[in-house]
């Protein structure tokens, strides 16, 4: 009898200990869950579930459901499916549980099973008790499960390749191409080289850092390196984007807090001297209980697009935008339908032609997050699903483009048993016509502050900012006539015209925009005179005709034409010769229709030797910036170098003397119409 009582007592104690252990695990799990640490929470819920007796069906079902929710959030798809099935088996028969199971089955490519689950949700008796958003998502899920096999069979013009040079055994996602030649790839990774030592309670891996890979001189991508600056920290640095000029990075930041839930925020970092600064939080709203993530800047640099679950959306996470300005942010706008749905819309990014790419699990797709294209039109946005293989049964997101071409990189967790993301390349061989131009100072370097205006006879009217190397690229259309005007404060305008014909292969038109300074003398290159005379040689007309065009494009400019000689010969003779040569140039310009009172000839002889600018030192290394080629200085060089200096001194230049020619009458009043030439 005593032995029997002892056995019963021991069993009761064991049951009590198991129950206490399960309760403790649930408390820990709930704490982790409240902080958003789903990986740690899942481990505790799994422990509690295993210690919950089978006969306690309701409790076992509730714990299975919590475990499933965590697995769903950290992309453990197969574990999530098993946990949701257990939850349903133990009585959690609500439509949301079935909805999430259906979504996980889609991610696993189990389309037939997904069809059955979504069909059960939409049965009248169940649908009547389902929230409206659940019915909408179930309808989309059912159509997705039916359509996905067809998309996979049909395929598309896209080709996709996993790029292992960028990838590790952890996650890499949200690539962003940067650099003037698209020779840098920024992305987030949780690999072991990330900053900090602790593992994230959210994912079970290290917190994400921004890494960068760069092309070498042969154009091959190098192994990624963590950005060694204040950009990264022991906290989580996530999806990033660059402004069109490449000088500012917006990124998702999530700081660790052991006592409060972590809400993602958006930070900005500036690039200076090849280093990125410590991110500063961007205040979009005073809402402190919503997340703000996945930034993207519009191609014109005027709007910041982002993801948030703040009130006023359409359900789940939506894509919003806010106007960027130097002082503060403008009003926040929800993009609304057809982009946003009751599901999640994430990872917006732009192709330079203005198309918005984003990922969603609320539209009809192949499973998980699918990439969608939103093309702007007069009525808002027109959506397009790019099909397989750009999309897959997994999560596909985070596009970035190599210029105007429909090629670049994206991220996906397709085929990864851990649900970790990796970087893939993609290409769609579209026929694309683009114009690429460089804006730079004559005799100088690129002008990154320049602006190019592009006008087409189809109604196109664009204002284009140039990159750090003074370049710009813009997609153009066949059968359109374009006029492009390069401008920069302190410089004269330069105009180019372009007629675009239809082509069978992609083509890029290349234009140059050399801008003449308003404040410094500008060399008129390739001006030739008969020996020891002022007669212009025929080969000079090409350069002078370009000057005629420049003056016609800038009708309010008056100039001085200056001719210079080297030190050979008497000073009096050189002044007379250079004066006659300057007058020859003026007479030619007058013969081409330029008003005489816009032109002032001046012969300097050898009295104004050339001052060397930095650009010229690249061609002639024996010269230094700001050297003045006086006779005494030139005679210090070798005979060959002396002849080069003499050639540089024998020059014809122009200098702007007025930028208001013809704008005022004799009384000094502004003339409002009519321009004299």
């Amino acid at each position: 009898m005593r032995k029997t009582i002892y056995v019963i007592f021991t069993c009761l104690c064991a049951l009590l200990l198991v129950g206490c252990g399960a309760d403790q695990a649930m408390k820990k799990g709930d704490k982790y869950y409240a902080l958003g640490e789903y990986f740690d929470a899942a481990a505790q819920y799994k422990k509690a579930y295993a210690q919950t007796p089978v006969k306690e069906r309701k409790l076992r079902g509730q714990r299975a459901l919590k475990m499933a929710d965590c697995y769903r959030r950290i992309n453990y798809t197969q574990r999530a499916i098993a946990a949701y099935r257990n939850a349903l088996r133990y009585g959690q028969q609500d439509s949301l549980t079935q909805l999430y199971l259906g979504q996980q089955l889609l991610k696993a490519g189990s389309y037939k099973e997904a069809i059955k689950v979504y069909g059960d949700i939409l049965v009248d008796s169940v649908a009547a008790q389902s929230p409206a958003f659940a019915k909408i998502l179930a309808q989309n899920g059912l159509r997705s499960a039916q359509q996905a096999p067809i998309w996979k069979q049909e395929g598309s013009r896209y080709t996709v390749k996993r790029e292992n040079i960028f990838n590790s055994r952890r996650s890499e996602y949200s690539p962003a191409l940067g650099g003037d030649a698209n020779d840098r790839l920024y992305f987030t990774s949780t690999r072991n080289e990330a900053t900090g030592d602790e593992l994230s309670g959210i994912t079970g891996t290290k917190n994400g850092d921004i890494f960068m890979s760069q092309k070498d001189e042969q154009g091959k991508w190098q192994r990624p390196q963590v950005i060694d600056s204040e950009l990264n920290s022991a906290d989580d640095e996530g999806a990033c984007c660059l402004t069109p000029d490449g000088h500012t990075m917006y990124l998702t930041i999530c700081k660790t807090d052991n006592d409060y839930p972590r809400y993602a925020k958006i930070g900005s970092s500036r690039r200076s001297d090849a280093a990125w600064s410590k991110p500063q939080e961007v205040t979009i709203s005073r809402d402190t209980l919503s997340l703000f993530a996945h930034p993207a800047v519009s191609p014109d640099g005027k709007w910041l697009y982002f993801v948030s679950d703040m009130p006023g959306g359409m359900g789940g996470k939506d894509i919003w935008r806010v106007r960027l300005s130097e002082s503060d942010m403008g009003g926040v706008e929800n993009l609304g339908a057809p982009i946003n749905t009751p599901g999640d819309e994430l990872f917006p990014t732009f192709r330079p032609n203005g198309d918005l790419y984003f990922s969603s699990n609320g539209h009809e797709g192949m499973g998980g997050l699918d990439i969608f294209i939103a093309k702007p039109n007069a009525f808002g946005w027109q959506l397009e699903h790019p099909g397989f293989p750009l999309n897959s049964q997994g999560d596909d997101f985070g596009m970035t483009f190599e210029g105007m071409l429909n090629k670049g990189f994206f991220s996906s967790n397709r085929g990864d048993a851990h649900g970790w993301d990796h970087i893939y390349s993609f290409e769609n061989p579209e026929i694309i016509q683009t114009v690429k131009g460089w804006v730079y100072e004559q005799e100088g370097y690129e002008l990154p502050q320049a602006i190019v205006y592009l006008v087409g006879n189809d109604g196109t009217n664009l204002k284009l900012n140039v990159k750090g190397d003074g370049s710009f690229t813009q997609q153009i259309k066949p059968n359109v006539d374009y006029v492009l005007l390069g401008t920069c404060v302190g410089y004269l305008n330069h105009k180019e015209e372009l007629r675009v014909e239809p082509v069978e292969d992609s083509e890029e038109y290349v234009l140059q925009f050399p801008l003449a300074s308003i404040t410094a003398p500008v060399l008129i290159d390739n001006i030739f005179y008969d020996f020891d005379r002022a007669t212009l040689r025929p080969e000079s007309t090409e350069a002078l005709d370009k000057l005629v065009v420049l003056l016609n494009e800038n009708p309010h400019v008056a100039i001085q034409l200056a001719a210079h000689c080297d030190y050979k010969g008497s000073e009096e003779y050189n002044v007379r010769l250079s004066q006659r040569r300057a007058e020859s140039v003026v007479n030619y310009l007058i013969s081409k229709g330029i008003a005489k009172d816009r032109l002032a000839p001046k012969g300097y002889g050898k009295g104004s030797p050339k001052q060397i600018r930095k650009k010229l030192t690249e061609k002639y290394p024996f010269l230094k910036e700001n050297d003045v080629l006086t006779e005494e200085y030139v005679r210090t060089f070798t005979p060959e170098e002396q002849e080069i200096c003499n050639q540089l001194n024998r020059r014809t230049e122009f200098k702007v003397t007025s930028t208001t020619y013809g704008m005022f009458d004799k009384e000094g009043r502004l003339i409002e119409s009519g321009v004299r030439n």
Side-chain angles (χ1 to χ4, degrees):
M1 172 66 83
R2 273 187 289 184
K3 184 177 181 181
T4 302
I5 293 173
Y6 174 78
V7 170
I8 294 173
F9 177 76
T10 302
C11 291
L12 287 172
C13 288
L15 288 172
L16 286 171
L17 288 172
V18 169
C20 290
D23 290 341
Q24 284 296 109
M26 287 302 299
K27 287 180 180 179
K28 287 184 179 179
D30 289 343
K31 179 182 177 181
Y32 289 136
Y33 188 93
L35 294 173
E37 297 178 348
Y38 303 114
F39 179 86
D40 288 346
Q44 295 299 320
Y45 291 147
K46 180 181 180 181
K47 180 179 178 181
Y49 176 80
Q51 294 179 350
T52 304
V54 175
K55 64 180 181 179
E56 296 189 39
R57 297 182 59 82
K58 183 177 180 180
L59 190 58
R60 195 169 171 85
Q62 291 171 345
R63 291 174 176 176
L65 187 57
K66 288 195 171 187
M67 184 168 49
D69 188 47
C70 291
Y71 287 143
R72 173 176 65 87
R73 293 175 182 272
I74 60 176
N75 289 323
Y76 281 23
T77 302
Q78 293 298 338
R79 293 186 186 184
I81 289 173
Y84 277 122
R85 282 175 170 161
N86 283 334
L88 289 169
R89 182 158 59 95
Y90 287 113
Q92 301 299 308
Q93 294 286 345
D94 61 284
S95 57
L96 285 183
T97 302
Q98 292 176 299
L99 176 67
Y100 291 141
L101 173 59
Q103 291 176 341
Q104 297 303 300
L105 290 169
L106 275 180
K107 287 188 73 170
S110 302
Y111 296 126
K112 290 183 179 179
E113 293 179 74
I115 289 173
K116 182 180 185 308
V117 170
Y118 285 126
D120 290 343
I121 299 173
L122 296 172
V123 173
D124 291 341
S125 59
V126 178
Q129 303 173 17
S130 301
F133 77 87
K135 287 187 285 187
I136 294 172
L137 293 178
Q139 290 167 349
N140 285 341
L142 179 60
R143 289 191 291 266
S144 297
Q146 295 167 339
Q147 181 66 34
I150 299 173
W151 276 325
K152 194 167 185 177
Q153 185 176 8
E154 290 177 346
S156 70
R157 288 171 58 85
Y158 282 93
T159 56
V160 167
K161 178 185 176 184
R162 177 165 166 161
E163 298 294 343
N164 288 327
I165 186 68
F166 306 124
N167 296 318
S168 69
R169 295 184 177 181
R170 296 295 184 265
S171 280
E172 292 79 30
Y173 61 93
S174 291
L177 278 165
D180 294 328
N182 289 317
D183 56 356
R184 297 188 189 115
L185 187 71
Y186 299 90
F187 59 89
T188 298
S189 178
T190 62
R191 65 186 65 192
N192 292 335
E193 293 82 0
T195 307
D197 298 320
E198 295 185 3
L199 299 182
S200 167
I202 301 175
T203 62
T205 63
K206 296 186 78 170
N207 283 329
D209 270 354
I210 306 297
F211 284 71
M212 185 190 75
S213 174
Q214 190 159 4
K215 287 183 179 179
D216 63 15
E217 294 180 354
Q218 286 74 43
K220 293 184 178 180
W221 290 104
Q222 301 301 292
R223 279 285 171 190
Q225 301 293 326
V226 65
I227 296 179
D228 187 16
S229 75
E230 292 184 302
L231 180 70
N232 289 312
S233 70
D235 293 321
D236 216 351
E237 283 79 38
C240 68
C241 74
L242 300 173
T243 53
D245 63 9
H247 295 160
T248 302
M249 175 188 291
Y250 289 94
L251 67 158
T252 308
I253 52 179
C254 190
K255 296 184 177 180
T256 302
D257 194 318
N258 295 326
D259 298 315
Y260 295 97
R262 288 183 282 178
Y263 296 100
K265 304 296 180 185
I266 292 174
S268 67
S269 171
R270 291 284 297 174
R271 184 183 175 98
S272 177
D273 296 329
W276 290 99
S277 67
K278 182 178 181 180
Q280 301 298 313
E281 185 176 328
V282 176
T283 303
I284 296 174
S285 167
R286 294 182 179 179
D287 183 350
T288 60
L289 298 178
S290 299
L291 67 85
F292 299 87
H294 306 171
V297 178
S298 59
D300 60 9
K302 294 180 179 179
W303 294 91
L304 177 67
Y305 287 67
F306 62 94
V307 168
S308 180
D309 58 357
M310 67 175 128
M314 297 184 65
K317 300 175 184 68
D318 280 4
I319 298 176
W320 304 68
R321 72 174 188 173
V322 62
R323 183 175 288 277
L324 290 170
S325 67
E326 294 183 1
S327 56
D328 54 13
M329 297 287 182
V332 176
E333 302 176 10
N334 186 288
L335 294 195
I339 290 176
N340 290 320
T341 69
D344 291 330
E345 280 67 51
L346 308 168
F347 299 99
T349 190
F350 279 94
R351 187 174 169 184
N353 66 0
D355 291 348
L356 172 64
Y357 286 66
F358 66 96
S359 293
S360 173
N361 61 13
H363 292 281
E364 294 178 32
M366 298 187 66
L369 293 172
D370 267 28
I371 293 168
F372 292 84
I373 309 170
K375 297 178 178 290
N377 58 33
F379 305 101
W381 301 94
Q382 179 179 348
L383 290 193
E384 177 184 321
H385 185 277
F388 178 84
L390 188 64
N391 284 311
S392 69
Q393 66 195 42
D395 291 328
D396 306 294
F397 61 97
M399 305 283 284
T400 187
F401 295 86
E402 293 185 21
M404 291 291 170
L405 298 177
N406 197 353
K407 64 180 294 188
F409 302 95
F410 73 108
S411 40
S412 176
N413 65 1
R414 62 185 68 186
D416 190 283
H418 298 283
W420 291 333
D421 309 303
H422 302 289
I423 292 176
Y424 291 74
S425 62
F426 72 91
E427 182 172 4
N428 185 336
E430 297 177 349
I431 297 176
I432 298 172
Q433 291 176 275
T434 59
V435 57
K436 183 167 187 174
W438 278 270
V439 187
Y440 55 93
E441 180 183 5
Q442 286 186 223
E443 294 188 274
Y445 294 94
E446 60 275 358
L447 295 170
Q449 300 83 20
I451 294 174
V452 176
Y453 295 90
L454 184 147
V455 178
N457 62 359
D458 65 338
T460 299
N461 192 340
L462 300 176
K463 177 182 176 182
L464 308 176
N465 294 306
V466 302
K467 297 181 180 179
D469 64 347
S471 71
F472 68 91
T473 305
Q474 178 60 41
Q475 187 170 351
I476 50 181
K477 303 174 185 176
N479 299 314
V480 178
D481 295 324
Y482 291 98
V483 175
L484 298 95
L485 187 69
T487 69
C488 189
V489 175
Y491 297 86
L492 300 183
N493 298 336
H494 181 91
K495 183 174 71 174
E496 291 286 343
E497 297 182 0
L498 181 64
R499 169 67 182 177
V500 183
E501 302 290 349
V503 294
E504 295 183 358
D505 297 305
S506 294
E507 185 172 354
E508 183 173 74
Y509 302 86
V510 179
L511 301 175
Q512 304 286 337
F513 293 82
L515 302 190
S517 173
I518 291 176
T519 58
V522 179
L523 177 69
I524 309 173
D525 210 359
N526 297 321
I527 300 297
F528 305 99
Y529 306 92
D530 287 340
F531 177 72
D532 207 27
R533 301 181 66 183
T535 307
L536 284 167
R537 294 181 61 82
E539 55 265 39
S540 303
T541 58
E542 181 178 352
L544 291 176
D545 287 342
K546 290 181 180 178
L547 181 56
V548 171
V549 172
L550 179 67
L551 290 169
N552 285 331
E553 291 172 352
N554 298 271
H556 296 305
V557 167
I559 63 172
Q560 179 193 85
L561 267 299
H564 302 265
C565 299
D566 58 30
Y567 60 78
K568 298 176 182 178
S570 70
E571 183 174 352
E572 182 181 356
Y573 176 80
N574 280 336
V575 169
R576 287 200 308 270
L577 178 61
S578 61
Q579 180 66 31
R580 294 201 314 274
R581 286 179 169 178
E583 291 171 353
S584 295
V585 173
V586 166
N587 290 334
Y588 182 88
L589 298 177
I590 292 172
S591 73
K592 295 296 183 178
I594 304 300
K596 182 178 180 179
D597 58 348
R598 294 179 66 188
L599 309 169
K602 176 66 176 178
Y604 285 90
K606 63 179 181 180
S608 183
K610 186 174 182 66
Q611 184 175 7
I612 300 302
R613 303 186 66 184
K614 184 178 180 181
K615 185 72 174 178
L616 205 55
T617 64
E618 297 176 4
K619 186 175 182 181
Y620 304 114
F622 69 93
L623 296 174
K624 296 185 177 71
E625 185 179 6
N626 296 322
D627 282 352
V628 179
L629 302 184
T630 63
E631 181 177 352
E632 294 77 16
Y633 183 59
V634 170
R635 289 186 182 278
T636 64
F637 294 116
T638 66
E640 294 79 9
E641 292 170 343
Q642 287 184 39
E643 180 52 32
I644 291 172
C645 293
N646 289 333
Q647 290 175 2
L648 293 174
N649 270 331
R650 296 191 297 266
R651 68 198 190 277
T652 302
E653 297 173 331
F654 74 84
K655 182 169 64 175
V656 174
T657 57
S658 173
T659 57
T660 59
Y661 172 82
M663 294 178 63
F664 301 93
D665 61 19
K666 293 180 179 180
E667 284 72 35
R669 292 172 299 196
L670 182 67
I671 299 173
E672 296 187 2
S673 62
V675 176
R676 286 196 297 134
N677 189 26

